[in-house]
Amino acid sequence: MNSKLGLLARIFGRGSRAPVVSSLAAVALNSPLLVHQGHGEAIIGAYLTGEVTSADTEMRTERLELPDAGDTVAPDRSLIGVINVSGALVNRPMPGPSGAGPMSYAALRGTFDELIEDDRVGTIILRLDSPGGMAAGCFDLVDHIYAARGKKPIYALVDDNAYSACFALATACDEIWISRTGGVGSVGVVAYHYDWSAADERMGLRATPIYAGSRKVDLSPHMPLSDEARASAQANIDALYGMFVDTVARNLSIDADAVRATEAACFQGQAAVDAGFATRLGTWHDLLAHVGAEGAPSSAALGDPEADDVEASAATVEPGAAPGDAAAAGPGPAATTAYPAAALASAVADSDLPSDIGIALIRRGVKDEEGAEEALAYAVAVQDACAAALRDGASLAPGFIKENTDLATVRTQLLSMKATEGKSTQIVTTTPAADAAKQANPAKAQLDPNHIYQMRAR
């Protein structure tokens, strides 16, 4: 009979090569993960089936000559240390049949320390492309990098993704640069319990655990998850989530409620900058040019564009301090003034908006001179208009809000949908004359964008 790992391999994918290592299946299916949902499941499956091997995620460290440094940098600080981080992240090395396995926090720490201690290296860049990985070991490495702030400039380059655990690593750096198509965020925790009992029964297998201690077999894959086991696992996930939120809030100088209000959402390019989850847009070449032009700039904290304020903030929070100490350490860069989107996220967290409306509003962001209160009022107006227009109209509100559809257009589209349904109840609003004329002419109405929108939605 094939081993359980072979069965896992067939479930996760179609590859026929040997899986990386059996212990990876254990940590992937039973341990808390800080990982982007879709990307994470795909890469776990790829490791289990051997489609991705250590050759695909081998850690590469480079020492590059500082471009166009001239006389601005001392000769003994003329190198840029680059750590290339890709693929899934695990706590310790996991060698197996197809190589060394995924990249580990332990190996990353060793490489980072080598560059910090190398007097020839004046700047360190973490070049990131990872969906995240294990929770175990992640926060220890994040705190270690955070404590090194001030020794040398440390940049994170999101090229092209840094989600969950990888995003946590990015926040420990002085600055986060992100490409226009790059993605960050996914501040959340997930764990999987696989119940094999039905499959065992179909194969004629029966597992009989012999154990001592009533909680010993809580997460056994050979039996359904009990209510007590689920509650215990959820408490562990909640504790890790709080740690994750507090760590990101400390590192980015953003209010913890604003981080929590993102509900593990992901942000791309400029949206990441607007939310305070990245410092600026830039490519690999942009960052190299910046480092070359600046020489060895002083470390800058995220959340405040003013250098003087950054230095003042750095003096209030000691490197390596506990995440919860950030607020108690004194005034630092205020997310509500440095990043309007962070202020909006905080306002959403304090509001009574449904979660789907709140997330859509955060993704929409703050527009022009609009404040958080105006943005909330806009979302409430759209929500009320949708709820009043159609029986299931409330479900349309997040889409309108995310696309920043103005209220007049929202009402026009809702009226068109109501007319199609043949209902007599009207919304108290004003329909532009041009739209009324279109509806009066059936031929023209077929070309009405609102009609096209309805047809696509069916």
Side-chain angles (χ1 to χ4, degrees), residues 216-227:
K216 187 65 177 178
V217 293
D218 268 359
L219 298 177
S220 171
H222 299 289
M223 59 188 67
L225 194 64
S226 68
D227 292 340

Side-chain angles (χ1 to χ4, degrees), residues 17-35:
R17 287 182 286 173
V20 173
V21 62
S22 58
S23 59
L24 179 61
V27 300
L29 302 182
N30 295 296
S31 298
L33 304 175
L34 312 179
V35 67

Side-chain angles (χ1 to χ4, degrees), residues 234-392:
Q234 185 64 56
N236 185 37
I237 293 295
D238 291 343
L240 285 170
Y241 181 49
M243 188 184 303
F244 196 176
V245 167
D246 290 342
T247 297
V248 170
R250 176 199 67 182
N251 292 357
L252 303 185
S253 297
I254 293 177
D255 188 87
D257 287 340
V259 178
R260 191 179 292 272
T262 66
E263 294 288 355
C266 300
F267 302 87
Q268 187 176 56
Q270 185 61 48
V273 178
D274 294 340
F277 274 18
T279 311
R280 66 182 75 183
L281 291 178
T283 65
W284 165 248
H285 298 290
D286 293 334
L287 180 53
L288 288 183
H290 170 78
V291 173
E294 295 292 328
S298 58
S299 299
L302 273 161
D304 193 341
E306 300 295 332
D308 292 341
D309 292 342
V310 169
E311 292 176 3
S313 172
T316 63
V317 182
E318 292 295 327
D325 294 342
T336 56
T337 57
Y339 291 100
L344 174 61
S346 182
V348 168
D350 294 333
S351 73
D352 296 326
L353 288 175
S355 59
D356 56 344
I357 299 289
I359 292 173
L361 185 59
I362 290 172
R363 289 179 172 175
R364 165 192 179 265
V366 177
K367 304 299 181 183
D368 301 325
E369 300 300 319
E370 178 185 69
E373 292 302 321
E374 289 82 0
L376 286 174
Y378 161 77
V380 171
V382 173
Q383 178 188 21
D384 291 346
C386 291
L390 302 169
R391 182 181 300 273
D392 298 322

Side-chain angles (χ1 to χ4, degrees), residues 155-174:
Y155 294 93
L157 175 67
V158 181
D159 187 19
D160 233 11
N161 297 304
Y163 293 117
S164 216
C166 189
F167 178 60
L169 297 180
T171 67
C173 301
D174 295 310

